Amino acid sequence: MDDIEIRDDSIRLGQFLKLANLIETGADAKIVVGDGLVSVNGEVETRRGRQLTGGDVVEIGGLSVRVAIR
């Protein structure tokens, strides 16, 4: 599992998906999150505005990444 560093204390799920290169655009985030293809800490998340903080684990398509605070 890779750690993806963020600059602030939190980040929105849609922004994090782009930062981690798990998707290409915000439109992609809307689709994958809305379709229930993303999980946060093991639970399906359908809100792309969900705030993530350090230690949260995001999974999509069998890939898992962890939010790390710089």
Side-chain angles (χ1 to χ4, degrees):
M1 176 183 322
D2 291 331
D3 286 343
I4 305 298
E5 290 186 354
I6 62 173
R7 282 184 265 154
D8 298 318
D9 292 335
S10 65
I11 187 171
R12 288 191 171 107
L13 177 58
Q15 293 171 323
F16 183 75
L17 291 171
K18 288 190 297 185
L19 177 67
N21 292 317
L22 297 173
I23 58 165
E24 291 187 23
T25 68
D28 292 339
K30 184 176 184 178
I31 293 167
V32 298
V33 173
D35 287 349
L37 302 176
V38 178
S39 65
V40 176
N41 299 326
E43 295 192 15
V44 173
E45 182 56 68
T46 58
R47 300 170 295 155
R48 65 185 165 127
R50 155 103 185 245
Q51 292 291 319
L52 303 174
T53 58
D56 284 340
V57 176
V58 176
E59 182 179 342
I60 180 174
L63 299 173
S64 296
V65 293
R66 182 175 31 232
V67 179
I69 305 293
R70 236 185 255 213

